[in-house]
Amino acid sequence: MTRSSVRLKDIADKTGFSVNTVSLALRGSPRIPEETRQLIRTIAEALNYLPNHIAQSLVSRETKTIGLILTDITNPTLMRTAQAIELELADRGYGTLFATSNNDPEEEIRALEMFRSRQVDGMLIYPRSHRKLDHIRKIRQSNYPIVLLVGDPDSGIDAVCVDERRGAYKATRHLIDTGHRRIGIIDSANPLGNLEKSEGYLQALSEAGIAFEPVLTADLQGHSVMKGYWAMDQLMSAANRPTGVFAANDSLAIGALRWCQKNGVNVPRDVAIIGFDNIEFAEHAATPISSVNYAVDIVTELAVERLMRLVAAKDALPDPRVTMIEPDLVIRESTTGRS
């Protein structure tokens, strides 16, 4: 008898108890004597019985699963977040289903549809675009529990996230406060992508009375180490090089640092570099890289808690609420020359 074909009736036939008694015993009902429960569990295990969660969900209207959609499975910060979310949900008795959009809007829509067809109880989403959210908003408006891991206060969707605009502002302000006036940025200016970090960078420049220079921006449509390497090559090819660079994530910053090492540019004496996310590799780079800390544990705890409240609310979801966590800077040798 295969595992998938074992039914409650098979256990009942083997033990001599009724199907109802077997069902109650496997659910740990105190109505069944402990000795009987143990016997039934032993026979069920020997037969490789697995509960039919699909059938149970039809009765309870809960599948005890949550969908998690990420943009990039290779992003170290997103993978740390995914691991933390999976553990947090497991502690609450939920399983996690994963999907990746690969920064493709059509893939993101397919992932949303797949999770809804599998009747997950709710979803946590890191969307490709932080602002083009109509397809997700429509699902939220149908009373479906969704929490974003990036935030737009006017999105009409619950979100728990790090305030990326504020983090970028702080990073740029740090470079300004350490004496830099020509500050480059490595980021994606794609309208479908993340504009918050660019806005934080521009705000800091404006408040310091520093004119924005387009030549000091590098957008190579990607966020990998190699993209950071070639972005730095582009920035340092300018007639008047930057003395400080803000990279939108630490992978880009590591690539920028590698370019400097290959081309005899001292960090931070010739150019200071600061990243975003505070991944482990940034701390242990040849020159430890200053970064904006992404508080994975706080984001995870608050996002899962918010989603659980939405799931418990059933068909009467409360008004959406956006929680933005102000990040701290982690200052290392790449901007100050000392750790």
Side-chain angles (χ1 to χ4, degrees):
M1 183 177 294
T2 64
R3 181 174 64 181
S4 61
S5 66
V6 177
R7 303 165 299 169
L8 291 176
K9 185 178 183 304
D10 299 315
I11 302 172
D13 291 343
K14 193 78 171 177
T15 61
F17 294 106
S18 69
V19 170
N20 185 54
T21 298
V22 169
S23 177
L24 289 172
L26 292 176
R27 284 184 283 156
S29 172
R31 293 166 54 188
I32 308 301
E34 175 59 30
E35 183 179 347
T36 302
R37 277 184 280 165
Q38 186 57 49
L39 172 63
I40 290 173
R41 289 195 196 102
T42 300
I43 296 300
E45 184 176 346
L47 294 175
N48 288 322
Y49 170 76
L50 285 177
N52 188 335
H53 290 297
I54 296 175
Q56 291 176 1
S57 69
L58 293 175
V59 177
S60 66
R61 297 183 61 197
E62 292 184 349
T63 61
K64 288 295 182 180
T65 55
I66 297 297
L68 174 60
I69 301 177
L70 306 176
T71 53
D72 182 0
I73 201 170
T74 65
N75 182 302
T77 299
L78 294 188
M79 288 312 300
R80 284 168 56 213
T81 303
Q83 181 184 42
I85 285 172
E86 183 179 25
L87 293 173
E88 185 75 20
L89 287 171
D91 285 343
R92 296 167 183 263
Y94 283 80
T96 308
L97 300 182
F98 293 91
T100 307
S101 69
N102 295 308
N103 283 300
D104 184 325
E106 292 184 0
E107 287 293 327
E108 182 171 277
I109 291 172
R110 277 194 283 272
L112 287 165
E113 292 174 346
M114 177 191 68
F115 283 151
R116 292 192 72 193
S117 70
R118 291 178 180 270
Q119 298 183 345
V120 298
D121 295 334
M123 285 187 263
L124 293 160
I125 306 172
Y126 198 102
R128 180 187 187 277
S129 169
H130 296 194
R131 301 190 182 185
K132 292 185 179 295
L133 300 168
D134 287 347
H135 58 301
I136 301 176
R137 188 180 300 109
K138 183 179 178 180
I139 298 173
R140 172 57 167 83
Q141 290 170 346
S142 69
N143 280 315
Y144 198 94
I146 290 177
V147 175
L148 301 180
L149 299 174
V150 298
D152 177 354
D154 300 319
S155 67
I157 309 170
D158 285 270
V160 175
C161 58
V162 168
D163 189 338
E164 295 181 331
R165 183 183 290 103
R166 183 67 178 165
Y169 171 87
K170 284 186 168 184
T172 308
R173 186 75 240 183
H174 169 65
L175 292 174
I176 293 169
D177 291 343
T178 51
H180 299 279
R181 304 289 293 180
R182 289 186 58 77
I183 300 171
I185 180 173
I186 301 174
D187 191 17
S188 175
N190 189 317
L192 289 176
N194 180 352
L195 298 177
E196 282 74 18
K197 292 174 184 176
S198 295
E199 290 175 352
Y201 161 81
L202 292 172
Q203 179 186 352
L205 293 183
S206 176
E207 288 183 6
I210 300 174
F212 168 64
E213 298 183 54
V215 71
L216 296 182
T217 65
D219 173 19
L220 296 183
Q221 301 294 307
H223 294 92
S224 67
V225 172
M226 283 307 301
K227 293 292 186 181
Y229 182 96
W230 291 114
M232 195 65 171
D233 183 71
Q234 178 180 321
L235 287 179
M236 299 301 280
S237 296
N240 194 359
R241 291 178 165 184
T243 64
V245 171
F246 164 56
N249 69 31
D250 287 338
S251 293
L252 293 171
I254 291 169
L257 175 64
R258 180 59 179 159
W259 185 93
C260 292
Q261 294 169 336
K262 291 275 287 184
N263 290 275
V265 175
N266 182 272
V267 176
R269 187 187 63 217
D270 300 325
V271 61
I273 299 172
I274 187 167
F276 202 112
D277 288 337
N278 192 32
I279 66 174
E280 181 180 12
F281 299 123
E283 180 181 1
H284 298 289
T287 301
I289 298 173
S290 296
S291 188
V292 179
N293 187 51
Y294 187 99
V296 170
D297 292 342
I298 296 175
V299 171
T300 297
E301 181 181 353
L302 295 181
V304 170
E305 176 62 29
R306 178 72 53 78
L307 185 62
M308 292 296 98
R309 291 186 181 183
L310 296 181
V311 170
K314 305 296 183 181
D315 296 329
L317 298 188
D319 291 337
R321 186 157 55 94
V322 174
T323 300
M324 304 193 80
I325 301 160
E326 179 163 345
D328 296 319
L329 295 184
V330 180
I331 304 305
R332 301 191 178 100
E333 295 174 26
S334 68
T335 57
T336 66
R338 61 184 184 278
S339 56

